[in-house]
Amino acid sequence: VADLARVSAFAELVNPLEPTPAVLAQGKFVYESFCIACHGAKGAGDGKVTALFPKPPSLMTQKVRDWPD
């Protein structure tokens, strides 16, 4: 029951941010500051620290690309 509620809540999520140039620039800054080391420049999970830690999932898989914003 808890899993069903979680899946339902996830499906109803809506990104409250409009994709304005300022919002996209902030997202790029955050990704380059916190995510790129593991996920890599293109989100493939090939960042520079993957030799030291478990490889993160690719952000380019169809499963991830189908997630709502």
Side-chain angles (χ1 to χ4, degrees):
V1 175
D3 285 339
L4 182 58
R6 186 177 69 232
V7 169
S8 178
F10 177 76
E12 295 174 12
L13 289 176
V14 176
N15 187 342
L17 303 174
E18 293 293 323
T20 65
V23 168
L24 295 175
Q26 178 66 21
K28 182 178 186 226
F29 173 79
V30 170
Y31 184 86
E32 290 175 348
S33 298
F34 299 103
C35 307
I36 201 169
C38 295
H39 289 283
K42 297 191 181 210
D46 59 352
K48 292 182 179 182
V49 300
T50 58
L52 305 172
F53 299 100
K55 184 175 179 176
S58 169
L59 301 176
M60 302 307 295
T61 62
Q62 194 61 48
K63 177 183 176 182
V64 174
R65 292 172 71 187
D66 287 343
W67 288 349
D69 283 338

